[in-house]
């Protein structure tokens, strides 16, 4: 299927101002999102297949679970999320102040430049058959490694380490309506990320932490160096911003207002 020309980041008005003014997208710890199965969804699917292969070897299963818990605890997955849909009511409700916020349209082609072993821009997979095949394939590979004498620690590190980005783009099919894309990155928060900071056209900040809803949430700011990445701003069905004020802010913060369309949602939601 052909990729959409634009993808949309639904957010509050405050977030819109921050993104436009700073030229930054925030990559937050995905496990602090509204999907409590983030990251765990496919990890647990692989784990179930591994335990099935070792179904009569309870000590090996226990060792596997212990190694997996230790490995997962070493790294976080960070993401900035987008939707193919420019005017989706469920997105307005969930991510944009119940329709009082906005959706920012970004050029998909430019975000596709974020492709490396550490950071990628990818479409979310909701297909259960694809996910199950992925889980079986990786479980069988881990099984073969252990049977051939490899340590469980090494096997878990290899099997769960190589596809970490893939782990971040497989989600519960219940979220399929969102048609999500995301910039995703896997790293240990304490690591020096100088090797990632040179992505062409982008710059990654040092790690930062904020407190929200009784939790500490770590994040990175990803600065986009070309303002032409922003193509549209769609005002939500309850948004009270005036188009001329949004265009004024675009001019003030270095954007060419002729290259950014400001539109209103067509959703009849009140």
């Amino acid at each position: 299927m052909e990729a959409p020309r634009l993808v949309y980041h639904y957010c509050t008005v405050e977030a819109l101002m921050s993104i436009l003014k700073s030229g930054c997208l925030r990559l937050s710890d995905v496990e602090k999102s509204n999907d409590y199965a983030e990251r765990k969804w496919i990890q647990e699917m692989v784990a179930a297949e591994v335990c099935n292969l070792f179904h009569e070897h309870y000590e090996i299963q226990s060792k596997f679970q212990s190694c997996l818990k230790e490995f997962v605890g070493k790294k976080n997955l960070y993401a900035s999320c987008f939707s193919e849909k420019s005017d989706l009511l469920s997105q307005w409700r969930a991510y944009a102040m119940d329709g009082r916020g906005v959706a920012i349209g970004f050029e998909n082609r430019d975000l596709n430049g974020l492709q490396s072993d550490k950071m990628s821009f990818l479409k979310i997979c909701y297909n259960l058959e694809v996910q199950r095949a992925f889980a079986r394939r990786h479980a069988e590979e881990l099984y073969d490694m252990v049977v051939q004498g490899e340590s469980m620690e090494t096997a878990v590190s290899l099997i769960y380490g190589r596809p970490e980005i893939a782990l971040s783009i497989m989600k519960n099919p219940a979220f399929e309506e969102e048609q999500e894309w995301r910039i995703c990155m896997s790293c240990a928060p304490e690591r020096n990320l100088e090797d990632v900071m040179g992505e062409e056209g982008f710059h990654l900040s040092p790690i930062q932490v904020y407190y929200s809803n009784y939790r500490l949430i770590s994040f990175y700011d990803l600065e986009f160096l070309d303002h032409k990445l922003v193509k549209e701003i769609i005002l939500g069905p309850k948004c009270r911003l005036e188009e001329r004020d949004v265009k004024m802010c675009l001019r003030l913060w270095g954007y060419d207002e002729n290259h950014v369309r400001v539109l209103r949602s067509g959703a009849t939601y009140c």
Side-chain angles (χ1 to χ4, degrees):
M1 183 179 294
E2 186 178 352
R5 188 178 75 86
L6 301 181
V7 290
Y8 296 86
H9 181 70
Y10 287 77
C11 62
T12 66
V13 171
E14 289 81 4
L16 166 72
M17 293 175 65
S18 176
I19 289 168
L20 293 180
K21 192 172 183 179
S22 68
C24 291
L25 289 164
R26 178 162 293 183
L27 276 62
S28 295
D29 183 350
V30 297
E31 292 190 55
K32 307 300 192 300
S33 73
N34 65 342
D35 177 7
Y36 66 83
E38 278 282 10
R39 193 184 186 192
K40 301 179 183 72
W41 178 259
I42 193 67
Q43 283 178 351
E44 292 177 358
M45 201 177 289
V46 175
E49 293 286 348
V50 170
C51 290
N52 185 53
L53 291 170
F54 288 110
H55 67 281
E56 294 183 352
H57 303 276
Y58 301 110
E59 289 186 5
I60 296 178
Q61 289 186 41
S62 178
K63 179 67 172 177
F64 163 73
Q65 295 287 3
S66 176
C67 290
L68 177 58
K69 182 178 180 180
E70 182 179 357
F71 176 81
V72 169
K74 292 178 180 178
K75 289 188 176 183
N76 291 343
L77 285 168
Y78 295 91
S80 186
C81 303
F82 309 83
S83 173
E84 290 185 14
K85 305 297 184 181
S86 62
D87 197 3
L88 187 61
L89 187 53
S90 60
Q91 293 285 92
W92 291 124
R93 287 171 169 164
Y95 305 110
M97 303 170 68
D98 193 35
R100 295 177 177 85
V102 303
I104 310 172
F106 290 88
E107 183 74 56
N108 187 308
R109 179 184 57 197
D110 293 336
L111 291 175
N112 268 319
L114 291 165
Q115 301 294 349
S116 70
D117 59 340
K118 298 178 181 67
M119 183 184 296
S120 294
F121 176 65
L122 298 166
K123 180 177 173 58
I124 295 295
C125 172
Y126 305 97
N127 188 306
L128 268 179
E129 289 306 310
V130 171
Q131 294 173 1
R132 286 169 179 155
F134 177 96
R136 284 193 296 270
R137 184 170 66 253
H138 286 82
E140 288 167 0
E141 189 175 351
L142 184 145
Y143 176 85
D144 290 341
M145 291 173 66
V146 173
V147 167
Q148 292 169 17
E150 192 62 80
S151 72
M152 183 62 78
E153 291 87 348
T154 300
V156 167
S157 179
L158 287 172
I159 296 304
Y160 280 88
R162 285 181 313 201
E164 279 179 299
I165 297 300
L167 294 176
S168 75
I169 64 162
M170 295 193 182
K171 289 188 67 171
N172 188 324
F175 288 86
E176 186 171 7
E177 182 189 40
E178 295 184 348
Q179 290 299 294
E180 184 182 342
W181 290 66
R182 61 172 51 160
I183 301 168
C184 42
M185 177 179 71
S186 171
C187 68
E190 300 82 5
R191 251 187 76 195
N192 185 333
L193 284 177
E194 288 182 356
D195 51 345
V196 181
M197 296 175 77
E199 294 280 357
E200 185 175 355
F202 297 88
H203 184 272
L204 193 70
S205 75
I207 191 166
Q208 302 173 69
V209 180
Y210 71 98
Y211 174 75
S212 177
N213 292 327
Y214 310 105
R215 297 185 297 181
L216 292 172
I217 303 174
S218 57
F219 68 94
Y220 294 87
D221 278 334
L222 183 67
E223 182 182 4
F224 49 93
L225 304 179
D226 186 355
H227 282 182
K228 291 182 180 178
L229 191 68
V230 177
K231 297 295 185 184
E232 286 184 0
I233 297 171
I234 301 177
L235 309 182
K238 297 183 186 180
C239 185
R240 298 177 66 177
L241 296 182
E242 295 183 22
E243 291 94 327
R244 68 186 186 90
D245 290 333
V246 175
K247 291 181 178 180
M248 175 193 68
C249 289
L250 287 168
R251 293 193 301 272
L252 288 173
W253 296 329
Y255 296 80
D256 184 344
E257 65 172 300
N258 296 316
H259 290 160
V260 183
R261 296 201 306 165
V262 180
L263 309 170
R264 284 204 174 270
S265 166
T268 53
Y269 175 57
C270 60

